[in-house]
Amino acid sequence: KQTLENLSAGSFEGLVAAMWSAEGYQTYVTPSAADAGIDVVAISEDTVYCIHVRHVASFGTQVDEGVLGQVRNGASHYMANIFPKKLSARSLRLAVVTNGKSSRRLDSAAKRDDIQFIGADELLKRISRRPVAMTEVYQADIRRCTDLRELKAELQARYHDVGKKGL
């Protein structure tokens, strides 16, 4: 908990990317600004995650329902403008990860919209089950794309012919 409180917003995004990488996903940390609401993209053989990361200044602060709109709208933008067509055959999942907490209303809306919500308590549980080294967090943050054109180019290069190259 102490370490989570001390992470910068950028390093918190790096933590989320490192967590998904530890689960076998290829991850991309999007630009610090002008990212259309998606902070981390995580891709496996059959799934593409669009993840909105909300870092709050005080651990456990309640976040508002606006996070759900950000991840929904961001995912639509990425599907239409960033992701190569080959990725559209994979299952699209939306997630919000925060060091804050949700409300009953937010939980209900996330469930209704099939958006995975990982708040402070769940985040701590996941980290305790599968620890992530700080070097992994910083490496993910360092590999951050500078803009969405760079992310699109990286994804196009990697997934242009998924049938032959796979992940």
Side-chain angles (χ1 to χ4, degrees):
K1 181 179 171 183
Q2 181 80 28
T3 302
L4 287 178
E5 288 179 333
N6 295 328
L7 287 177
S8 67
S11 292
F12 190 64
E13 291 172 359
L15 170 68
V16 172
M19 289 171 58
W20 256 260
S21 289
E23 293 179 12
Y25 288 83
Q26 175 68 41
T27 60
Y28 301 86
V29 181
T30 66
S32 301
D35 61 12
I38 302 301
D39 301 297
V40 176
V41 173
I43 302 171
S44 72
E45 288 185 30
D46 58 359
T47 306
V48 177
Y49 266 96
C50 287
I51 306 167
H52 175 69
V53 179
R54 176 60 59 95
H55 181 269
V56 294
S58 180
F59 188 85
T61 300
Q62 189 169 317
V63 296
D64 62 48
E65 289 179 61
V67 296
L68 302 180
Q70 287 183 302
V71 73
R72 267 193 316 270
N73 295 338
S76 294
H77 176 76
Y78 277 60
M79 289 300 291
N81 302 297
I82 306 297
F83 294 153
K85 297 290 184 224
K86 297 276 185 176
L87 290 180
S88 65
R90 299 180 191 195
S91 173
L92 177 65
R93 299 291 319 267
L94 308 182
V96 173
V97 181
T98 181
N99 60 339
K101 292 189 178 184
S102 89
S103 63
R104 285 189 188 143
R105 187 173 169 168
L106 177 56
D107 286 338
S108 175
K111 188 173 186 174
R112 179 194 67 225
D113 294 347
D114 196 27
I115 298 172
Q116 184 178 7
F117 184 88
I118 300 171
D121 295 336
E122 178 63 23
L123 184 62
L124 289 172
K125 286 178 194 172
R126 284 176 175 240
I127 292 170
S128 69
R129 284 193 308 262
R130 184 173 277 159
V132 175
M134 287 307 295
T135 54
E136 296 170 274
V137 171
Y138 296 134
Q139 286 172 352
D141 191 23
I142 289 168
R143 289 191 321 267
R144 175 183 304 276
C145 296
T146 55
D147 59 34
L148 290 181
R149 285 186 309 257
E150 178 187 346
L151 175 61
K152 183 175 182 174
E154 279 189 42
L155 293 172
Q156 291 287 349
R158 185 168 183 102
Y159 300 101
H160 72 284
D161 195 350
V162 176
K164 290 182 181 173
K165 293 190 176 186
L167 281 176

